[in-house]
Amino acid sequence: SASTLTGTVLLTGTSGTARTMTVQVTDTLGKVSLVNVDVKNANLMDLSGKALSLTSGFKAGDLVIAYGSYDGATFVATIVIKQS
């Protein structure tokens, strides 16, 4: 099922063909967790819809909203939008 993940980028990673983003998420109760987001096949963009590169478009501290679904503990994103 599709879901949304909102959080703050801690780091981005590129290894081989893998493209990942570690996002710090705070739930409604204030509990903080780290989520590994698979962005290999995701459209990465800013609020205006301009395409972004994982390596140059995102840095630690950026606020993002990711759309996709969980595969186990990994969130597989289809779209990631940088909010800040």
Side-chain angles (χ1 to χ4, degrees):
S1 67
S3 52
T4 308
L5 179 143
T6 305
T8 305
V9 175
L10 286 188
L11 51 93
T12 60
T14 56
S15 170
T17 59
R19 299 288 180 269
T20 58
M21 194 181 277
T22 303
V23 178
Q24 180 176 306
V25 177
T26 306
D27 69 16
T28 50
L29 301 173
K31 179 175 170 290
V32 174
S33 57
L34 300 182
V35 179
N36 185 48
V37 181
D38 177 348
V39 297
K40 185 169 76 170
N41 297 313
N43 287 319
L44 308 175
M45 62 186 73
D46 64 15
L47 279 174
S48 71
K50 182 166 90 58
L52 296 174
S53 135
L54 177 63
T55 46
S56 62
F58 295 86
K59 63 184 189 305
D62 284 344
L63 189 63
V64 294
I65 294 182
Y67 298 90
S69 56
Y70 280 96
D71 178 10
T74 300
F75 188 85
V76 181
T78 52
I79 301 173
V80 179
I81 303 172
K82 181 162 85 167
Q83 303 293 300
S84 52

